[in-house]
mmCIF file of all heavy atoms in Angstrom:
data_model
loop_
_atom_site.group_PDB
_atom_site.id
_atom_site.type_symbol
_atom_site.label_atom_id
_atom_site.label_comp_id
_atom_site.label_asym_id
_atom_site.label_seq_id
_atom_site.Cartn_x
_atom_site.Cartn_y
_atom_site.Cartn_z
ATOM 1 N N CYS F 1 -4.457 2.673 12.659
ATOM 2 C CA CYS F 1 -5.284 1.593 13.210
ATOM 3 C C CYS F 1 -4.396 0.362 13.332
ATOM 4 O O CYS F 1 -3.904 -0.153 12.318
ATOM 5 C CB CYS F 1 -6.478 1.315 12.318
ATOM 6 S SG CYS F 1 -7.443 -0.137 12.791
ATOM 7 N N VAL F 2 -4.199 -0.062 14.571
ATOM 8 C CA VAL F 2 -3.364 -1.233 14.831
ATOM 9 C C VAL F 2 -4.256 -2.429 15.122
ATOM 10 O O VAL F 2 -5.186 -2.337 15.939
ATOM 11 C CB VAL F 2 -2.418 -0.983 16.014
ATOM 12 C CG1 VAL F 2 -1.551 -2.209 16.262
ATOM 13 C CG2 VAL F 2 -1.541 0.232 15.748
ATOM 14 N N ALA F 3 -3.969 -3.536 14.467
ATOM 15 C CA ALA F 3 -4.754 -4.756 14.647
ATOM 16 C C ALA F 3 -3.976 -5.799 15.427
ATOM 17 O O ALA F 3 -2.766 -5.964 15.233
ATOM 18 C CB ALA F 3 -5.138 -5.328 13.285
ATOM 19 N N SER F 4 -4.676 -6.483 16.308
ATOM 20 C CA SER F 4 -4.050 -7.582 17.031
ATOM 21 C C SER F 4 -4.096 -8.833 16.163
ATOM 22 O O SER F 4 -4.848 -8.910 15.197
ATOM 23 C CB SER F 4 -4.794 -7.844 18.333
ATOM 24 O OG SER F 4 -6.126 -8.250 18.063
ATOM 25 N N GLY F 5 -3.291 -9.827 16.493
ATOM 26 C CA GLY F 5 -3.347 -11.083 15.770
ATOM 27 C C GLY F 5 -2.404 -11.141 14.589
ATOM 28 O O GLY F 5 -1.848 -10.125 14.162
ATOM 29 N N SER F 6 -2.240 -12.321 14.059
ATOM 30 C CA SER F 6 -1.266 -12.551 12.993
ATOM 31 C C SER F 6 -1.900 -12.691 11.621
ATOM 32 O O SER F 6 -1.219 -13.006 10.658
ATOM 33 C CB SER F 6 -0.462 -13.818 13.302
ATOM 34 O OG SER F 6 -1.333 -14.937 13.403
ATOM 35 N N ILE F 7 -3.214 -12.438 11.523
ATOM 36 C CA ILE F 7 -3.895 -12.650 10.253
ATOM 37 C C ILE F 7 -4.115 -11.364 9.478
ATOM 38 O O ILE F 7 -4.721 -11.362 8.426
ATOM 39 C CB ILE F 7 -5.264 -13.328 10.475
ATOM 40 C CG1 ILE F 7 -6.154 -12.449 11.359
ATOM 41 C CG2 ILE F 7 -5.064 -14.716 11.069
ATOM 42 C CD1 ILE F 7 -7.574 -12.935 11.487
ATOM 43 N N PHE F 8 -3.632 -10.265 10.016
ATOM 44 C CA PHE F 8 -3.901 -8.939 9.452
ATOM 45 C C PHE F 8 -3.595 -8.873 7.969
ATOM 46 O O PHE F 8 -4.376 -8.333 7.185
ATOM 47 C CB PHE F 8 -3.078 -7.905 10.217
ATOM 48 C CG PHE F 8 -3.094 -6.528 9.626
ATOM 49 C CD1 PHE F 8 -4.125 -5.653 9.914
ATOM 50 C CD2 PHE F 8 -2.071 -6.094 8.789
ATOM 51 C CE1 PHE F 8 -4.141 -4.364 9.382
ATOM 52 C CE2 PHE F 8 -2.088 -4.820 8.249
ATOM 53 C CZ PHE F 8 -3.122 -3.956 8.548
ATOM 54 N N SER F 9 -2.456 -9.408 7.559
ATOM 55 C CA SER F 9 -1.953 -9.168 6.211
ATOM 56 C C SER F 9 -2.837 -9.753 5.107
ATOM 57 O O SER F 9 -2.744 -9.317 3.966
ATOM 58 C CB SER F 9 -0.543 -9.729 6.076
ATOM 59 O OG SER F 9 -0.554 -11.131 6.248
ATOM 60 N N ILE F 10 -3.699 -10.694 5.424
ATOM 61 C CA ILE F 10 -4.478 -11.335 4.364
ATOM 62 C C ILE F 10 -5.823 -10.673 4.132
ATOM 63 O O ILE F 10 -6.532 -11.020 3.191
ATOM 64 C CB ILE F 10 -4.694 -12.835 4.660
ATOM 65 C CG1 ILE F 10 -5.629 -13.024 5.866
ATOM 66 C CG2 ILE F 10 -3.377 -13.539 4.859
ATOM 67 C CD1 ILE F 10 -6.006 -14.473 6.085
ATOM 68 N N TYR F 11 -6.178 -9.721 4.960
ATOM 69 C CA TYR F 11 -7.507 -9.132 4.889
ATOM 70 C C TYR F 11 -7.536 -7.754 4.257
ATOM 71 O O TYR F 11 -6.572 -6.987 4.354
ATOM 72 C CB TYR F 11 -8.121 -9.034 6.290
ATOM 73 C CG TYR F 11 -8.614 -10.360 6.815
ATOM 74 C CD1 TYR F 11 -7.829 -11.120 7.668
ATOM 75 C CD2 TYR F 11 -9.862 -10.839 6.453
ATOM 76 C CE1 TYR F 11 -8.278 -12.334 8.143
ATOM 77 C CE2 TYR F 11 -10.313 -12.049 6.926
ATOM 78 C CZ TYR F 11 -9.520 -12.791 7.758
ATOM 79 O OH TYR F 11 -9.967 -14.001 8.230
ATOM 80 N N VAL F 12 -8.680 -7.471 3.651
ATOM 81 C CA VAL F 12 -8.973 -6.102 3.229
ATOM 82 C C VAL F 12 -9.237 -5.275 4.485
ATOM 83 O O VAL F 12 -9.935 -5.720 5.401
ATOM 84 C CB VAL F 12 -10.201 -6.055 2.304
ATOM 85 C CG1 VAL F 12 -10.575 -4.609 1.975
ATOM 86 C CG2 VAL F 12 -9.947 -6.844 1.034
ATOM 87 N N MET F 13 -8.663 -4.095 4.517
ATOM 88 C CA MET F 13 -8.890 -3.171 5.619
ATOM 89 C C MET F 13 -9.572 -1.925 5.081
ATOM 90 O O MET F 13 -9.390 -1.556 3.909
ATOM 91 C CB MET F 13 -7.580 -2.777 6.282
ATOM 92 C CG MET F 13 -6.809 -3.932 6.869
ATOM 93 S SD MET F 13 -7.675 -4.723 8.246
ATOM 94 C CE MET F 13 -7.726 -3.383 9.443
ATOM 95 N N GLY F 14 -10.343 -1.278 5.931
ATOM 96 C CA GLY F 14 -11.048 -0.096 5.474
ATOM 97 C C GLY F 14 -11.155 0.965 6.542
ATOM 98 O O GLY F 14 -10.910 0.712 7.730
ATOM 99 N N TRP F 15 -11.487 2.144 6.104
ATOM 100 C CA TRP F 15 -11.822 3.268 6.984
ATOM 101 C C TRP F 15 -13.231 3.740 6.636
ATOM 102 O O TRP F 15 -13.570 3.896 5.453
ATOM 103 C CB TRP F 15 -10.850 4.430 6.808
ATOM 104 C CG TRP F 15 -9.516 4.222 7.440
ATOM 105 C CD1 TRP F 15 -8.381 3.779 6.832
ATOM 106 C CD2 TRP F 15 -9.165 4.462 8.812
ATOM 107 N NE1 TRP F 15 -7.352 3.722 7.733
ATOM 108 C CE2 TRP F 15 -7.801 4.141 8.962
ATOM 109 C CE3 TRP F 15 -9.864 4.924 9.928
ATOM 110 C CZ2 TRP F 15 -7.121 4.260 10.175
ATOM 111 C CZ3 TRP F 15 -9.193 5.050 11.133
ATOM 112 C CH2 TRP F 15 -7.842 4.719 11.254
ATOM 113 N N TYR F 16 -14.029 3.917 7.671
ATOM 114 C CA TYR F 16 -15.365 4.487 7.557
ATOM 115 C C TYR F 16 -15.414 5.740 8.420
ATOM 116 O O TYR F 16 -14.531 5.969 9.260
ATOM 117 C CB TYR F 16 -16.418 3.501 8.091
ATOM 118 C CG TYR F 16 -16.728 2.331 7.200
ATOM 119 C CD1 TYR F 16 -15.820 1.299 7.019
ATOM 120 C CD2 TYR F 16 -17.964 2.233 6.566
ATOM 121 C CE1 TYR F 16 -16.119 0.210 6.219
ATOM 122 C CE2 TYR F 16 -18.280 1.138 5.765
ATOM 123 C CZ TYR F 16 -17.350 0.132 5.604
ATOM 124 O OH TYR F 16 -17.662 -0.943 4.807
ATOM 125 N N ARG F 17 -16.453 6.527 8.231
ATOM 126 C CA ARG F 17 -16.678 7.662 9.120
ATOM 127 C C ARG F 17 -18.165 7.849 9.338
ATOM 128 O O ARG F 17 -18.985 7.478 8.493
ATOM 129 C CB ARG F 17 -16.056 8.942 8.554
ATOM 130 C CG ARG F 17 -16.684 9.461 7.276
ATOM 131 C CD ARG F 17 -15.910 10.671 6.780
ATOM 132 N NE ARG F 17 -16.489 11.214 5.538
ATOM 133 C CZ ARG F 17 -15.955 12.217 4.855
ATOM 134 N NH1 ARG F 17 -14.826 12.780 5.285
ATOM 135 N NH2 ARG F 17 -16.540 12.638 3.758
ATOM 136 N N GLN F 18 -18.481 8.439 10.479
ATOM 137 C CA GLN F 18 -19.875 8.718 10.819
ATOM 138 C C GLN F 18 -19.967 10.106 11.428
ATOM 139 O O GLN F 18 -19.415 10.366 12.499
ATOM 140 C CB GLN F 18 -20.426 7.682 11.790
ATOM 141 C CG GLN F 18 -21.920 7.811 12.035
ATOM 142 C CD GLN F 18 -22.506 6.595 12.729
ATOM 143 O OE1 GLN F 18 -21.786 5.789 13.318
ATOM 144 N NE2 GLN F 18 -23.813 6.433 12.645
ATOM 145 N N ALA F 19 -20.643 10.975 10.706
ATOM 146 C CA ALA F 19 -20.872 12.335 11.185
ATOM 147 C C ALA F 19 -22.145 12.348 12.032
ATOM 148 O O ALA F 19 -23.011 11.481 11.883
ATOM 149 C CB ALA F 19 -21.002 13.280 10.000
ATOM 150 N N PRO F 20 -22.278 13.341 12.896
ATOM 151 C CA PRO F 20 -23.476 13.426 13.748
ATOM 152 C C PRO F 20 -24.758 13.432 12.934
ATOM 153 O O PRO F 20 -24.891 14.193 11.969
ATOM 154 C CB PRO F 20 -23.284 14.756 14.475
ATOM 155 C CG PRO F 20 -21.812 14.972 14.495
ATOM 156 C CD PRO F 20 -21.316 14.418 13.199
ATOM 157 N N GLY F 21 -25.673 12.547 13.276
ATOM 158 C CA GLY F 21 -26.960 12.498 12.605
ATOM 159 C C GLY F 21 -26.946 11.825 11.246
ATOM 160 O O GLY F 21 -27.966 11.834 10.544
ATOM 161 N N LYS F 22 -25.803 11.260 10.880
ATOM 162 C CA LYS F 22 -25.698 10.629 9.559
ATOM 163 C C LYS F 22 -25.300 9.167 9.698
ATOM 164 O O LYS F 22 -24.814 8.736 10.730
ATOM 165 C CB LYS F 22 -24.681 11.372 8.694
ATOM 166 C CG LYS F 22 -25.084 12.792 8.352
ATOM 167 C CD LYS F 22 -24.121 13.407 7.363
ATOM 168 C CE LYS F 22 -24.557 14.800 6.955
ATOM 169 N NZ LYS F 22 -23.614 15.408 5.961
ATOM 170 N N GLN F 23 -25.534 8.434 8.620
ATOM 171 C CA GLN F 23 -25.135 7.030 8.606
ATOM 172 C C GLN F 23 -23.623 6.897 8.422
ATOM 173 O O GLN F 23 -22.975 7.783 7.853
ATOM 174 C CB GLN F 23 -25.856 6.298 7.472
ATOM 175 C CG GLN F 23 -27.336 6.107 7.704
ATOM 176 C CD GLN F 23 -27.973 5.212 6.655
ATOM 177 O OE1 GLN F 23 -27.522 5.176 5.512
ATOM 178 N NE2 GLN F 23 -29.000 4.472 7.035
ATOM 179 N N ARG F 24 -23.100 5.789 8.912
ATOM 180 C CA ARG F 24 -21.690 5.497 8.704
ATOM 181 C C ARG F 24 -21.442 5.275 7.212
ATOM 182 O O ARG F 24 -22.210 4.562 6.547
ATOM 183 C CB ARG F 24 -21.285 4.262 9.503
ATOM 184 C CG ARG F 24 -19.800 4.029 9.616
ATOM 185 C CD ARG F 24 -19.475 2.902 10.579
ATOM 186 N NE ARG F 24 -19.903 3.211 11.943
ATOM 187 C CZ ARG F 24 -19.564 2.480 12.993
ATOM 188 N NH1 ARG F 24 -18.809 1.390 12.834
ATOM 189 N NH2 ARG F 24 -19.988 2.814 14.191
ATOM 190 N N GLU F 25 -20.386 5.880 6.695
ATOM 191 C CA GLU F 25 -20.091 5.762 5.272
ATOM 192 C C GLU F 25 -18.666 5.279 5.049
ATOM 193 O O GLU F 25 -17.762 5.600 5.822
ATOM 194 C CB GLU F 25 -20.294 7.113 4.559
ATOM 195 C CG GLU F 25 -19.372 8.216 5.016
ATOM 196 C CD GLU F 25 -19.494 9.482 4.186
ATOM 197 O OE1 GLU F 25 -20.203 9.480 3.168
ATOM 198 O OE2 GLU F 25 -18.857 10.480 4.566
ATOM 199 N N LEU F 26 -18.493 4.538 3.966
ATOM 200 C CA LEU F 26 -17.182 4.035 3.612
ATOM 201 C C LEU F 26 -16.325 5.156 3.042
ATOM 202 O O LEU F 26 -16.772 5.910 2.181
ATOM 203 C CB LEU F 26 -17.322 2.911 2.584
ATOM 204 C CG LEU F 26 -16.022 2.291 2.065
ATOM 205 C CD1 LEU F 26 -15.249 1.630 3.189
ATOM 206 C CD2 LEU F 26 -16.322 1.306 0.957
ATOM 207 N N VAL F 27 -15.098 5.251 3.537
ATOM 208 C CA VAL F 27 -14.168 6.279 3.067
ATOM 209 C C VAL F 27 -13.157 5.681 2.099
ATOM 210 O O VAL F 27 -12.939 6.208 1.012
ATOM 211 C CB VAL F 27 -13.439 6.924 4.258
ATOM 212 C CG1 VAL F 27 -12.347 7.863 3.778
ATOM 213 C CG2 VAL F 27 -14.425 7.660 5.152
ATOM 214 N N ALA F 28 -12.530 4.563 2.498
ATOM 215 C CA ALA F 28 -11.482 3.967 1.672
ATOM 216 C C ALA F 28 -11.247 2.528 2.106
ATOM 217 O O ALA F 28 -11.494 2.171 3.256
ATOM 218 C CB ALA F 28 -10.181 4.765 1.792
ATOM 219 N N THR F 29 -10.761 1.736 1.153
ATOM 220 C CA THR F 29 -10.364 0.368 1.466
ATOM 221 C C THR F 29 -9.016 0.066 0.817
ATOM 222 O O THR F 29 -8.626 0.717 -0.167
ATOM 223 C CB THR F 29 -11.383 -0.673 0.964
ATOM 224 O OG1 THR F 29 -11.519 -0.555 -0.464
ATOM 225 C CG2 THR F 29 -12.737 -0.498 1.615
ATOM 226 N N ILE F 30 -8.330 -0.927 1.364
ATOM 227 C CA ILE F 30 -7.061 -1.358 0.815
ATOM 228 C C ILE F 30 -6.974 -2.877 0.942
ATOM 229 O O ILE F 30 -7.251 -3.432 2.002
ATOM 230 C CB ILE F 30 -5.875 -0.654 1.500
ATOM 231 C CG1 ILE F 30 -4.551 -1.022 0.832
ATOM 232 C CG2 ILE F 30 -5.839 -0.928 3.006
ATOM 233 C CD1 ILE F 30 -3.388 -0.119 1.242
ATOM 234 N N THR F 31 -6.593 -3.521 -0.162
ATOM 235 C CA THR F 31 -6.483 -4.978 -0.142
ATOM 236 C C THR F 31 -5.141 -5.404 0.443
ATOM 237 O O THR F 31 -4.265 -4.570 0.697
ATOM 238 C CB THR F 31 -6.611 -5.546 -1.558
ATOM 239 O OG1 THR F 31 -5.458 -5.157 -2.326
ATOM 240 C CG2 THR F 31 -7.865 -5.052 -2.253
ATOM 241 N N SER F 32 -4.991 -6.705 0.620
ATOM 242 C CA SER F 32 -3.726 -7.219 1.137
ATOM 243 C C SER F 32 -2.565 -6.889 0.209
ATOM 244 O O SER F 32 -1.432 -6.711 0.662
ATOM 245 C CB SER F 32 -3.824 -8.735 1.334
ATOM 246 O OG SER F 32 -4.151 -9.381 0.109
ATOM 247 N N GLY F 33 -2.861 -6.763 -1.083
ATOM 248 C CA GLY F 33 -1.817 -6.437 -2.055
ATOM 249 C C GLY F 33 -1.591 -4.953 -2.268
ATOM 250 O O GLY F 33 -0.718 -4.561 -3.048
ATOM 251 N N GLY F 34 -2.404 -4.139 -1.599
ATOM 252 C CA GLY F 34 -2.204 -2.697 -1.675
ATOM 253 C C GLY F 34 -3.103 -1.959 -2.654
ATOM 254 O O GLY F 34 -2.948 -0.747 -2.832
ATOM 255 N N SER F 35 -4.053 -2.644 -3.273
ATOM 256 C CA SER F 35 -4.992 -1.948 -4.149
ATOM 257 C C SER F 35 -5.968 -1.131 -3.311
ATOM 258 O O SER F 35 -6.463 -1.621 -2.294
ATOM 259 C CB SER F 35 -5.762 -2.952 -5.009
ATOM 260 O OG SER F 35 -4.880 -3.640 -5.865
ATOM 261 N N THR F 36 -6.252 0.079 -3.765
ATOM 262 C CA THR F 36 -7.070 0.988 -2.974
ATOM 263 C C THR F 36 -8.322 1.446 -3.721
ATOM 264 O O THR F 36 -8.352 1.471 -4.952
ATOM 265 C CB THR F 36 -6.263 2.231 -2.579
ATOM 266 O OG1 THR F 36 -5.792 2.885 -3.770
ATOM 267 C CG2 THR F 36 -5.068 1.853 -1.717
ATOM 268 N N LYS F 37 -9.336 1.792 -2.941
ATOM 269 C CA LYS F 37 -10.566 2.401 -3.451
ATOM 270 C C LYS F 37 -10.951 3.523 -2.500
ATOM 271 O O LYS F 37 -10.733 3.425 -1.294
ATOM 272 C CB LYS F 37 -11.695 1.380 -3.545
ATOM 273 C CG LYS F 37 -11.502 0.318 -4.604
ATOM 274 C CD LYS F 37 -12.720 -0.588 -4.700
ATOM 275 C CE LYS F 37 -12.536 -1.648 -5.778
ATOM 276 N NZ LYS F 37 -13.720 -2.545 -5.883
ATOM 277 N N TYR F 38 -11.568 4.577 -3.065
ATOM 278 C CA TYR F 38 -11.946 5.737 -2.269
ATOM 279 C C TYR F 38 -13.360 6.179 -2.595
ATOM 280 O O TYR F 38 -13.829 6.048 -3.738
ATOM 281 C CB TYR F 38 -11.002 6.906 -2.553
ATOM 282 C CG TYR F 38 -9.570 6.653 -2.155
ATOM 283 C CD1 TYR F 38 -8.657 6.148 -3.072
ATOM 284 C CD2 TYR F 38 -9.137 6.925 -0.858
ATOM 285 C CE1 TYR F 38 -7.343 5.907 -2.710
ATOM 286 C CE2 TYR F 38 -7.822 6.692 -0.490
ATOM 287 C CZ TYR F 38 -6.944 6.187 -1.416
ATOM 288 O OH TYR F 38 -5.636 5.948 -1.049
ATOM 289 N N ALA F 39 -14.013 6.754 -1.610
ATOM 290 C CA ALA F 39 -15.265 7.447 -1.862
ATOM 291 C C ALA F 39 -14.975 8.680 -2.701
ATOM 292 O O ALA F 39 -13.917 9.308 -2.566
ATOM 293 C CB ALA F 39 -15.915 7.849 -0.537
ATOM 294 N N ASP F 40 -15.911 9.028 -3.567
ATOM 295 C CA ASP F 40 -15.699 10.187 -4.447
ATOM 296 C C ASP F 40 -15.426 11.458 -3.646
ATOM 297 O O ASP F 40 -14.658 12.320 -4.080
ATOM 298 C CB ASP F 40 -16.924 10.391 -5.340
ATOM 299 C CG ASP F 40 -17.044 9.331 -6.423
ATOM 300 O OD1 ASP F 40 -16.034 8.644 -6.697
ATOM 301 O OD2 ASP F 40 -18.141 9.184 -6.980
ATOM 302 N N SER F 41 -16.026 11.573 -2.487
ATOM 303 C CA SER F 41 -15.911 12.800 -1.705
ATOM 304 C C SER F 41 -14.521 13.022 -1.131
ATOM 305 O O SER F 41 -14.204 14.134 -0.705
ATOM 306 C CB SER F 41 -16.925 12.776 -0.552
ATOM 307 O OG SER F 41 -16.711 11.666 0.292
#
């Protein structure tokens, strides 16, 4: 995922997914410093 602009580095970024017929769910996030969180699945 490529972001435009020069502010990218200060923000938390995340990945979500949405399967057919289901709600969008959070998969993982990463902070500007590299700390990560994941869905249990």
Side-chain angles (χ1 to χ4, degrees):
C1 172
V2 180
S4 63
S6 59
I7 60 172
F8 171 84
S9 63
I10 69 173
Y11 284 97
V12 175
M13 300 295 296
W15 284 97
Y16 285 72
R17 66 184 180 184
Q18 188 166 18
K22 295 187 177 181
Q23 289 188 330
R24 193 172 297 190
E25 63 173 353
L26 178 63
V27 173
T29 60
I30 185 166
T31 68
S32 58
S35 296
T36 58
K37 291 184 179 180
Y38 296 93
D40 288 343
S41 59

